[in-house]
């Protein structure tokens, strides 16, 4: 089974639960194990919160203050990408977060919850891109009935 969707959202706090609910609904419908769905939804929430807080600015062809969330469920893997039009990550790597640091803990949480994570900057357009993959586990009886 292959499912994908993409959202273009305003950089507002109210957009974060919308993306999370859509992901959870997709996972439930596809029959993904609830623990895996929860972990992915927490990682998505952190990535979206980062885009809302730091991803400002207008990009080519995009209104100021927008960001994009794309999710792919393909076979045994879910891949999620959150891209914004802000200044991007400084330097080549996301700085390590100190235990008492105000910023950076969400990125470390994404790394703990996902199997593969990439933090990068959009070439030519500006903005940060957070993408992560997770191997899926399935419930015994999926909700989606296949014809």
């Amino acid at each position: 089974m292959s499912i994908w969707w993409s959202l273009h959202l305003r950089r507002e706090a109210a957009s974060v639960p919308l993306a999370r609910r859509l992901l959870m609904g997709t996972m439930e419908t596809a029959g993904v194990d609830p623990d895996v769905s929860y972990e992915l939804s927490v990682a998505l929430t952190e990535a979206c919160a980062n885009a809302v807080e730091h991803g400002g600015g207008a990009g080519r062809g995009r209104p100021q203050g927008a960001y994009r969330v794309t999710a792919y469920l393909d076979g045994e893997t879910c891949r999620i990408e959150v891209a914004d039009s802000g200044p991007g990550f400084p330097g080549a790597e996301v700085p390590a977060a100190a235990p008492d640091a105000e910023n950076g803990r969400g990125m470390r949480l994404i790394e703990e919850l996902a199997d593969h994570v990439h933090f990068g900057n959009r070439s030519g357009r500006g903005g940060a891109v957070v993408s992560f993959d997770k191997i899926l586990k399935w419930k015994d009886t999926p909700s989606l009935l296949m014809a």
Side-chain angles (χ1 to χ4, degrees):
M1 171 187 343
S2 185
I3 300 171
W4 74 271
W5 51 260
S6 186
L7 298 172
H8 294 266
L9 300 165
R10 287 186 175 198
R11 235 184 81 228
E12 298 172 353
S15 68
V16 176
L18 172 64
R20 183 177 175 144
R21 282 193 299 268
L22 182 57
L23 178 66
M24 292 291 288
T26 302
M27 299 283 197
E28 170 67 25
T29 301
V32 175
D33 178 79
D35 291 337
V36 172
S37 296
Y38 177 76
E39 289 173 357
L40 280 167
S41 73
V42 171
L44 174 64
T45 298
E46 292 297 333
C48 289
N50 190 66
V52 167
E53 184 173 347
H54 303 290
R60 291 185 187 142
R62 281 186 309 300
Q64 185 168 348
Y67 69 103
R68 185 189 75 232
V69 177
T70 306
Y72 306 90
L73 276 79
D74 191 23
E76 300 296 316
T77 305
C78 178
R79 178 176 184 85
I80 297 173
E81 180 179 282
V82 178
D84 65 46
S85 56
F89 293 110
E93 294 183 18
V94 177
D100 59 347
E102 189 67 25
N103 293 317
R105 292 180 300 208
M107 297 295 130
R108 298 301 159 230
L109 184 57
I110 293 169
E111 289 179 321
E112 291 297 318
L113 294 170
D115 294 324
H116 301 97
V117 181
H118 176 74
F119 302 109
N121 293 322
R122 295 171 61 165
S123 61
R125 294 178 165 176
V129 178
V130 176
S131 61
F132 50 96
D133 299 346
K134 189 158 182 81
I135 302 298
L136 300 175
K137 295 179 186 169
W138 304 96
K139 295 187 291 188
D140 291 334
T141 55
S143 303
L144 185 62
L145 299 176
M146 306 276 250

